[in-house]
């Protein structure tokens, strides 16, 4: 059962995506384009609650500006290839994207401060990650078993939990930077 809850369309109240309503209520947000099916959440969404969309099958998830928190195991084992994270996002909780084995592109927004334990564990298709300067903490095993992860750019002040990058690509390269100007051009945040 995949669920979403939201306020009636005639209100501008914040929305929280939870496991309390039915897939039928989700259907207005499912969009189809030739060869692609994706979900784009309403603009008044503020958080994805724990276990909100476990195992979902949308290849692309688009989260709108205004989302500040993604809860524990919100997308656990979902079969997504891409996720668009908004710049307003600050916290990705424990196990949020754990087991999303098809996720192949990850752009972390510039205001994110906390990435929880096992948040992206076993995301086998991720090849590189740039952590913005604002990231204060990355939890235990947050990117463990991401077998194709070869390149990581990490701010020098970011605190790492235990085994954050354990059992990744054997030639993984982790570089610490002081200032975003130190990053290669394609990775610079505006």
């Amino acid at each position: 059962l995949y669920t979403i809850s939201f306020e009636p369309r005639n209100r501008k109240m914040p929305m929280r995506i939870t496991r309390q309503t039915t897939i039928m209520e989700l259907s207005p947000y499912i969009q189809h384009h030739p060869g692609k099916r994706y979900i784009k959440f309403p603009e008044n969404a503020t958080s994805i609650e724990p276990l909100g969309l476990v195992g979902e099958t949308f290849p692309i998830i688009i989260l709108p500006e205004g989302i500040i928190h993604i809860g524990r195991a919100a997308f656990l084992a979902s079969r997504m290839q891409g996720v668009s994270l908004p710049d307003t996002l600050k916290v990705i909780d424990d196990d949020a994207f754990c087991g999303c084995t098809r996720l192949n592109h990850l752009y972390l927004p510039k205001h994110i401060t906390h990435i929880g334990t096992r948040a992206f564990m076993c995301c086998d298709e991720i090849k590189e990650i740039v952590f913005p300067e604002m990231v204060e903490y990355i939890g235990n095993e947050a990117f463990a078993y991401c077998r194709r992860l070869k390149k990581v750019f990490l701010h020098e002040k970011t605190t790492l939990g235990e085994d954050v990058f354990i059992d990744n690509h054997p030639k993984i390269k982790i570089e610490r930077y002081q200032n975003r100007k130190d990053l290669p051009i394609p990775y610079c945040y505006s």
Side-chain angles (χ1 to χ4, degrees), residues 133 155-156 176-183:
E133 294 175 71
H155 193 268
E156 66 179 9
R176 292 261 187 179
Y177 68 93
Q178 290 182 321
N179 186 311
R180 70 176 175 220
K181 290 182 257 172
D182 299 336
L183 291 170

Side-chain angles (χ1 to χ4, degrees), residues 74-186:
F75 295 99
L76 179 71
S78 294
R79 291 177 294 278
M80 69 178 75
Q81 293 172 336
V83 61
S84 174
L85 300 173
D87 279 338
T88 54
L89 184 65
K90 293 182 186 283
V91 175
I92 297 175
D93 224 335
D94 298 350
D95 302 305
F97 294 91
C98 182
C100 294
T101 58
R102 296 180 184 175
L103 183 62
N104 61 26
H105 179 72
L106 181 62
Y107 171 83
L108 294 170
K110 61 184 171 185
H111 297 294
I112 194 157
T113 60
H114 179 90
I115 298 172
T117 298
R118 297 176 307 276
F120 292 91
M121 181 184 213
C122 296
C123 291
D124 292 334
E125 296 297 321
I126 296 174
K127 294 181 178 99
E128 57 186 43
I129 305 168
V130 177
F131 293 95
E133 294 175 71
M134 302 276 295
V135 177
E136 297 169 5
Y137 178 75
I138 302 172
N140 299 343
E141 300 177 325
F143 291 87
Y145 309 103
C146 296
R147 305 224 191 263
R148 288 188 174 88
L149 184 57
K150 291 169 90 171
K151 193 180 291 186
V152 175
F153 293 96
L154 190 62
H155 193 268
E156 66 179 9
K157 293 183 181 179
T158 301
T159 302
L160 298 177
E162 293 181 24
D163 299 326
V164 172
F165 300 106
I166 193 168
D167 204 14
N168 292 319
H169 192 278
K171 294 183 180 179
I172 189 170
K173 185 176 180 182
I174 300 172
E175 294 183 30
R176 292 261 187 179
Y177 68 93
Q178 290 182 321
N179 186 311
R180 70 176 175 220
K181 290 182 257 172
D182 299 336
L183 291 170
I185 296 290

